Amino acid sequence: TSGGDIMPLRPLTRQDALHLVGRLVAGTPGPGLRQVARRAAGNPLYLQEMVDVLIREQAVRHDGADADVSPTAAQAAPGSLAAAITRRLDFLSKETRDVLRWAALLGMEFDITDVARISGVPPSQLFGQIEEAIAASVVADVDDRFTFRHPLIRQALYDAMGTAVREALHQQAARALIDACAPADRIADQLIAAPAHASAWSMDWLVANRTELINRAPSVAADLLHRALDSAVAWDHRIEALTAGLAMVEFRLGRSPEHLVNDVLASTTDPERTAEMRRILAYLQYRQGRPEATVATLRAALADPAIPPDWRARLQALVSMFLLTGLGDVDG
């Protein structure tokens, strides 16, 4: 966070690593466990995952206060962090792994309602799998949502699906969330992860929900609008609305979409869209240090008899503001 101190995390010392292993196995580590600790190279997550695998495989043996594994078990311990996480997931039932793959599509955090929506499984049938994942320390319960215990766990589940399967499932998830009237940003997260070529139904949704999405997630909205316009054919009736949406979000992001604004103004017959584009154009001209052009643009918009009353009031207020701040014309 702003104003905080950055503290580089160094590997655990040999002594600290053995102390961690001792806590995990509830005993003093013997030669086999010390070999496992060395393999982790001071990475506490890797070390914890390897030891957890050995515990779950019942490879750890206790002799009084000492704990150890056989040389064979120590040698067979996962050879990488990814392998350790995969071994952890292998302990879960197939049904639980399937549920977690759906959850992985939603990101690090998820709620059971969204998992039910995109998987088609009623929430009442998911609680057992989520409880198994919590017991295995794969998922944690945080307030009213669930979260994967570590990003690498979520990534392992996500990568295991393969690119083509993931893209198809993201599309399926997006359609399910649209049918459930989910918030625009959650739907957009699925669309942005789907194939780059925008489908007709996704463009329809984007046209209908562009304002909400721009307000919630402007950067994602810009990416999706660019993708939709790249996918649209020349005669697509949605081009004008998509271009207007892109002009709005580019302006929101501090860019200069004057060419997009002019494209819309050259084609549109919608009075509200005309007023919105002229408002953006006026602000762009003001940013460029052209207050006279700004006022002229707004007055041209106000001269249009078709302008809706709410937009007329809004643009009149802008004329007053720019006359005062840009031209110092108090009388005007």
Side-chain angles (χ1 to χ4, degrees), residues 251 258 279-295 297-298 318-319 321-328:
F251 173 71
E258 195 163 344
R279 182 189 74 88
I280 293 175
L281 181 59
Y283 270 108
L284 292 173
Q285 291 167 333
Y286 191 74
R287 281 183 189 171
Q288 296 163 2
R290 300 162 57 200
E292 293 89 353
T294 299
V295 172
T297 295
L298 292 171
L318 287 178
V319 169
M321 181 182 74
F322 288 127
L323 280 171
L324 181 63
T325 61
L327 298 175

Side-chain angles (χ1 to χ4, degrees), residues 104-119:
L105 293 171
L106 297 170
M108 272 296 292
E109 292 188 358
F110 59 92
D111 63 49
I112 203 164
T113 302
D114 280 348
V115 175
R117 286 168 175 164
I118 67 175
S119 66

Side-chain angles (χ1 to χ4, degrees), residues 157-304:
L157 287 159
Y158 190 77
D159 291 344
M161 289 183 274
T163 302
V165 172
R166 283 199 307 268
E167 290 181 346
L169 292 179
H170 277 300
Q171 284 191 319
Q172 179 178 331
R175 299 203 72 158
L177 292 174
I178 288 172
D179 291 342
C181 299
D185 52 335
R186 297 228 293 272
I187 296 169
D189 285 342
Q190 298 304 308
L191 290 175
I192 208 72
H197 183 78
S199 59
W201 60 265
S202 67
M203 286 196 282
D204 286 339
W205 175 86
L206 190 56
V207 167
N209 295 273
R210 63 190 185 281
T211 301
E212 180 190 354
L213 182 58
I214 288 169
N215 290 333
R216 284 177 170 267
S219 295
V220 175
D223 288 345
L224 286 177
L225 287 162
H226 274 295
R227 180 185 297 184
L229 285 167
D230 288 343
S231 301
V233 293
W235 55 88
D236 195 314
H237 67 281
R238 293 165 290 217
I239 286 180
E240 184 182 297
L242 293 169
T243 304
L246 184 57
M248 291 167 61
V249 73
E250 291 278 328
F251 173 71
R252 175 78 64 87
L253 292 170
R255 299 165 187 162
S256 298
E258 195 163 344
H259 64 292
L260 297 172
V261 171
N262 288 327
D263 285 348
V264 176
L265 288 173
S267 64
T268 189
T269 57
D270 184 321
E272 288 200 14
R273 188 165 294 158
T274 298
E276 174 67 30
M277 292 299 103
R278 289 193 180 277
R279 182 189 74 88
I280 293 175
L281 181 59
Y283 270 108
L284 292 173
Q285 291 167 333
Y286 191 74
R287 281 183 189 171
Q288 296 163 2
R290 300 162 57 200
E292 293 89 353
T294 299
V295 172
T297 295
L298 292 171
R299 282 178 169 162
L302 288 166
D304 183 355

Side-chain angles (χ1 to χ4, degrees), residues 17-42:
L18 291 176
H19 179 68
L20 176 58
V21 173
R23 288 176 54 192
L24 293 172
V25 300
T28 302
L33 285 173
R34 290 199 294 271
Q35 178 183 341
V36 169
R38 286 194 297 272
R39 185 182 300 177

